[in-house]
């Protein structure tokens, strides 16, 4: 089986805001085992290598990302130059585990399908920054939880060094998904129940902004916000996500 790196972003440069999210992530990590052997990395974004106790107790390998202009995706792109494992799974500062075995699902998909882009949260919504093209159908592969090989991430031809470019790496002309398709590789949605390519995404139940979100391997602010909305707002958000 492939070796796995799991990269968590610690926003040291905004610690007063992100400490509750780091604590929640660490609680989920301990309460819901990842399900496979892995090397945990914490990407420290900011001027210090300091980590809060909730993260340091996990004894991760530390990657120091400073300056950190690309937010979570920029930190993960930077980490790809330091990770030595076969496959890296990256998560934003606000994602968290809610069920055991989430990392194993990603690893098993990689072992089965190989060098491709993997994500649990996907949609077909238009990207306001990049927009769809006629070359490839539009897709939004969310940066909350995704996986690829470090080597492939190092080859991604766009530097993610602003927040806007982080959005474009998720959706639009410069997105990771479009680039993977352009070089002849695949983009695979990984859920608790199976793996799906783009033509099947509209039929996957309980995924991003659809149903009770129970297909998502991890949760984050967007899945939580969706579940708190009224039925009318949920319907509108789902329409925007899935057309």
């Amino acid at each position: 089986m492939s070796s796995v790196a799991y990269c968590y972003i610690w926003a040291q440069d905004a610690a007063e805001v992100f400490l509750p999210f780091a604590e929640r992530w660490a609680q989920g990590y301990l309460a819901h085992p990842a399900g496979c052997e892995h090397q945990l990395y914490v990407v420290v974004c900011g001027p210090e290598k300091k980590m809060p106790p909730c993260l340091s107790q996990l004894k991760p390998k530390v990657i120091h990302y400073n300056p950190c202009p690309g937010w979570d995706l920029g930190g993960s792109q930077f980490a790809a130059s330091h990770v030595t494992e076969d496959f890296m799974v990256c998560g934003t500062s606000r994602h968290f585990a809610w069920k055991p075995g989430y990392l194993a699902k990603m690893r098993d998909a990689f072992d089965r399908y190989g060098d491709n882009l993997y994500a649990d949260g996907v949609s077909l919504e238009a990207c306001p920054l990049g927009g769809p093209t006629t070359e490839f159908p539009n897709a939004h592969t969310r940066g909350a939880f995704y996986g690829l090989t470090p080597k492939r991430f190092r080859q991604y031809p766009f530097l993610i060094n602003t927040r806007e470019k982080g959005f474009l790496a998720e959706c639009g002309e410069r997105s990771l998904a479009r680039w993977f398709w352009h070089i002849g590789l695949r983009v695979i949605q990984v859920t608790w129940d199976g793996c799906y390519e783009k033509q099947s995404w509209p039929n996957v139940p309980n995924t991003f902004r659809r149903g009770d979100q129970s297909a998502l391997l991890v949760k984050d602010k967007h899945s939580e916000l969706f579940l708190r909305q009224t039925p009318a707002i949920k319907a509108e958000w789902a329409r925007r996500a899935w057309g």
Side-chain angles (χ1 to χ4, degrees):
M1 291 185 177
S2 302
S3 57
V4 179
Y6 183 20
C7 297
Y8 177 75
I9 304 295
W10 162 235
Q12 170 65 33
D13 57 335
E16 67 283 357
V17 174
F18 285 93
L19 179 58
F21 301 116
E23 291 174 337
R24 181 179 64 178
W25 175 83
Q27 290 170 1
Y29 180 81
L30 293 172
H32 305 293
C36 67
E37 294 292 328
H38 62 279
Q39 174 60 58
L40 178 63
Y41 290 83
V42 170
V43 182
V44 178
C45 299
E48 302 177 40
K49 294 186 179 180
K50 183 179 179 181
M51 288 190 299
C54 65
L55 297 179
S56 60
Q57 68 172 330
L58 303 175
K59 297 182 170 45
K61 288 187 176 180
V62 177
I63 297 172
H64 190 50
Y65 179 48
N66 182 44
C68 45
W71 291 59
D72 291 313
L73 271 81
S76 297
Q77 184 183 43
F78 181 81
S81 296
H82 300 267
V83 166
T84 58
E85 285 72 22
D86 302 321
F87 181 56
M88 65 185 296
V89 177
C90 309
T92 62
S93 299
R94 299 182 189 235
H95 87 284
F96 62 98
W98 66 281
K99 187 176 176 180
Y102 55 98
L103 200 62
K105 285 289 184 182
M106 294 287 273
R107 192 276 315 273
D108 291 348
F110 175 72
D111 280 346
R112 181 175 181 181
Y113 297 109
D115 183 8
N116 296 293
L117 177 64
Y118 300 85
D120 78 329
V122 301
S123 68
L124 301 180
E125 62 193 313
C127 180
L129 296 175
T133 70
T134 56
E135 182 180 3
F136 293 109
N138 199 46
H140 182 187
T141 51
R142 300 193 59 248
F145 194 66
Y146 63 100
L148 70 173
T149 68
K151 178 180 178 180
R152 192 64 65 189
F153 210 166
R154 293 193 294 269
Q155 294 171 349
Y156 176 64
F158 306 109
L159 180 63
I160 307 171
N161 60 0
T162 67
R163 190 179 187 193
E164 179 182 73
K165 290 178 182 178
F167 291 138
L168 293 176
E170 290 186 323
C171 180
E173 299 287 351
R174 296 184 173 190
S175 71
L176 281 163
R178 288 183 190 279
W179 179 64
F180 268 77
W181 282 322
H182 183 75
I183 62 177
L185 297 177
R186 302 158 73 183
V187 180
I188 298 175
Q189 180 187 18
V190 185
T191 74
W192 290 108
D193 297 324
C195 297
Y196 305 90
E197 294 196 56
K198 183 180 177 298
Q199 63 271 20
S200 299
W201 293 353
N203 300 316
V204 179
N206 299 314
T207 187
F208 177 62
R209 289 186 178 169
R210 174 183 288 151
D212 64 9
Q213 312 285 272
S214 60
L216 297 176
L217 300 181
V218 301
K219 295 184 179 180
D220 76 326
K221 65 176 181 179
H222 290 286
S223 54
E224 288 188 305
L225 281 172
F226 180 82
L227 289 175
R228 290 201 295 263
Q229 302 310 310
T230 66
I233 293 177
K234 285 182 180 179
E236 173 59 19
W237 286 9
R239 184 194 65 79
R240 292 178 186 177
W242 296 101

